[in-house]
Amino acid sequence: MRVVRLGEEPTEIGADIRAAVTAWGPGSGVYGGVAVCGVRPPGAPRALDAVLVLPRGIVVVVGVDLPGSVLSLEAPVQTPWTVDGWPLLRQDSAMNPALDALESAAALARALQSRGAEPLPVAAIIAVGPYAERIIQPTSDLHRGVRVLYPSTTSMLAAARELATYERACGVEAARKVLGVLDERTRRISVAELTEEGFPDSVAPDLAVASTLLIPKVTDEPAPAPPARPDDLRERLAAVPRRAKLLVLGAVAVVLAGAVSALVLTGGSEGAREVAAQQVDGVAFTRTSAEQGGDCTEAAFGDVRSWFQRHPCEGLSRQVFDGETAGRSAVVSVAVVDLGSATPARNLRELLNTPGSGGIADSGAEPGMPSSPEFADAAAAVQQTGGRLRVVQAAWAEGRSDPDDVALRALAERGLRLRAPA
C-alpha cells in the first residue's frame, strides 16, 4: 500500500487511519493500492481522512471523533447512534456520521462517472475513535457496503478485502485516471509504482497467464495448395452458366440482408434490455415504465410548473424503476430535462433544491398533479450537466417514506447514475 498525504486529516482519528494502512507496507505483499490521505474529492461534503484506491474497488474512509473511549457503540445507518446506551449528540445537523460517508461515496462515484473513469464500486468505512471496544451494525448495513470500525491494521485490512470485490483488477492507466479525479498531484505516481501495488499493466501482460491457444501445431503433413491466381478464378467463373451466377448472387444478397437485420434488431433489443435492467454500486434496478417526450409544464407541479410556463423545456424523458435497499423494496423515478443551455438549468436546479417548491412528477402521475401516491415524501436528488437536469425521487414501495431517510437518499444518489434510453 502506497500512502500519499495531500493535507492534514480532518479528524483526530485520522492519524490512526493513516498509521493502520501504512503498516501494510509498500507493494502488494499484504494488500496493494494507493491511500490518498487528507483529500476532498469533487462534490464531497467535507474533506476525507482517506480514500483507498484498490485494484478491485475504492473505499472512502471517514473519521469520527467520539467524546471518549466507549465500551459499546450501536451504529446503524438509518437511525441515530447510541454510545454506551446514550444517544450520540452531534454539533452538526446530520442524523449520524454514516450520512457523511454515504454522501461522500456517492459524490465520488458521480465524479468518476462524469469523467469516464473505470466504474469501480465505491464503498465506505467509518473509522471511530479514540477507541470502541464493541461496535454493533445491522446486517443490512453490512450488505450495503458500509463498515464502522476502530482503525487498527487488521480491522482496516479485513474491511478493505470485504468491500473491494470488483469483477476484474483495475489497470494502471485506469488507476491513474481515478487518482487524477481525486487530485491532480497524485499523477506523479509512476506506472512502475502502480504496478508494484497490484494494478496490472495492460501494455506488458504477464507471460505466465498469456494464452497459447493460437500457437500452431507443427506437423509433417504437406502444406496446403496455394490459393488460385486471379486468372485461374476468372477462367473457372467463365465456365459457370449465367443463370447459376445470378441465383448464387441473389441467395447471398438475401442472407446478407437477413444478417444485417438480425444484427440491428438484436443490437437494439440488447441495448433496451441493458437500460431496462441496470446495476449501480451493486444495487439492481428494473425499469417498469418509460415515457419519451411530453410537455414539461404538464409534468411539473407547484412553483416548478409556473417556472416551466415561463421557460419551456426542449426535451423530457421519464422512467420508473423498481429496486431494493436495506432489505426493503423501493421505487425510483428518474426524469431528464433538456433546457438547451446551462443558465436556465442552473436556475431550475436551485428552485428544485428549495423545499416546498414542487417538482417533476413521475410518469404515472396525473398531468399537473404531484407525484403518484407511492412517491409521497420521497427522497430527492438533482444533478445538472450543462443544459440538462436529472431529477430523481426514491421512496419505499410499502409503508411511509421520509425525505431525510439515509437509505432512500443514498438510493436517489444512485438513481442519478441510471442510464436513460437513447
Side-chain angles (χ1 to χ4, degrees):
M1 171 63 69
R2 181 170 298 274
V3 179
V4 179
R5 192 180 185 190
L6 298 180
E8 294 293 328
E9 291 83 1
T11 63
E12 293 183 9
I13 196 63
D16 291 2
I17 297 170
R18 177 162 44 86
V21 296
T22 301
W24 299 352
S28 56
V30 176
Y31 202 71
V34 179
V36 185
C37 301
V39 64
R40 183 170 185 172
R46 50 164 282 190
L48 303 178
D49 292 85
V51 176
L52 309 182
V53 181
L54 308 172
R56 293 186 180 272
I58 300 172
V59 181
V60 168
V61 185
V62 176
V64 175
D65 294 323
L66 300 175
S69 297
V70 302
L71 294 176
S72 177
L73 171 65
E74 294 185 19
V77 168
Q78 296 183 339
T79 55
W81 288 9
T82 58
V83 177
D84 293 333
W86 294 88
L88 175 64
L89 301 178
R90 305 193 72 205
Q91 295 181 350
D92 55 28
S93 58
M95 178 171 55
N96 64 43
L99 183 60
D100 285 342
L102 290 174
E103 289 182 348
S104 298
L108 177 55
R110 289 198 304 272
L112 293 174
Q113 184 190 36
S114 65
R115 290 162 174 80
E118 181 82 12
L120 293 169
V122 182
I125 289 177
I126 305 170
V128 299
Y131 180 73
E133 181 174 329
R134 182 167 177 259
I135 298 175
I136 304 170
Q137 264 192 281
T139 304
S140 59
D141 292 350
L142 296 175
H143 292 163
R144 295 176 59 192
V146 179
R147 298 292 185 273
V148 183
L149 51 80
Y150 168 71
S152 66
T153 300
T154 53
S155 66
M156 290 288 292
L157 180 60
R161 285 174 170 165
E162 291 176 0
L163 297 172
T165 57
Y166 191 49
E167 59 189 9
R168 64 178 182 275
C170 175
V172 167
E173 290 305 320
R176 295 187 72 183
K177 191 166 188 176
V178 170
L179 291 168
V181 173
L182 288 176
D183 194 289
E184 285 294 329
R185 289 172 288 178
T186 60
R187 292 187 181 274
R188 293 178 300 203
I189 303 175
S190 67
V191 171
E193 291 170 335
L194 289 174
T195 303
E196 291 177 359
E197 295 299 335
F199 298 97
D201 184 2
S202 58
V203 177
D206 187 356
L207 291 178
V209 297
S211 173
T212 59
L213 294 179
L214 298 181
I215 297 177
K217 181 181 178 181
V218 178
T219 67
D220 295 329
E221 297 177 2
R229 299 192 309 272
D231 292 341
D232 295 339
L233 290 175
R234 280 194 291 268
E235 292 175 2
R236 295 178 186 178
L237 288 175
V240 178
R242 184 173 181 275
R243 179 180 177 81
K245 293 179 184 177
L246 293 176
L247 289 175
V248 170
L249 290 175
V252 170
V254 170
V255 171
L256 287 176
V260 171
S261 300
L263 286 173
V264 171
L265 293 174
T266 304
S269 61
E270 287 294 333
R273 281 197 294 270
E274 289 179 1
V275 173
Q278 304 181 40
Q279 275 202 357
V280 179
D281 294 343
V283 178
F285 294 85
T286 303
R287 191 177 66 188
T288 57
S289 68
E291 179 183 282
Q292 195 79 13
D295 188 344
C296 287
T297 302
E298 293 297 316
F301 59 94
D303 295 340
V304 176
R305 179 182 174 88
S306 301
W307 189 92
F308 275 124
Q309 290 174 343
R310 301 188 304 272
H311 309 88
C313 69
E314 295 183 5
L316 171 67
S317 69
R318 292 184 290 177
Q319 302 178 88
V320 176
F321 292 85
D322 284 342
E324 184 174 321
T325 185
R328 298 180 62 183
S329 297
V331 287
V332 178
S333 170
V334 180
V336 180
V337 181
D338 187 357
L339 291 163
S341 61
T343 300
R346 182 176 62 252
N347 295 336
L348 179 57
R349 173 172 55 83
E350 293 173 353
L351 178 61
L352 286 166
N353 286 327
T354 303
S357 62
I360 300 174
D362 63 284
S363 57
E366 293 293 328
M369 299 297 292
S371 295
S372 302
E374 60 263 34
F375 285 102
D377 298 320
V382 182
Q383 182 183 51
Q384 177 189 353
T385 305
R388 293 165 66 91
L389 276 183
R390 185 176 289 257
V391 185
V392 178
Q393 301 177 80
W396 298 122
E398 296 181 358
R400 184 179 178 275
S401 300
D402 184 342
D404 294 324
D405 189 312
V406 176
L408 289 179
R409 289 182 63 175
L411 193 65
E413 293 284 348
R414 291 186 173 98
L416 292 173
R417 288 180 278 151
L418 289 170
R419 300 186 303 278

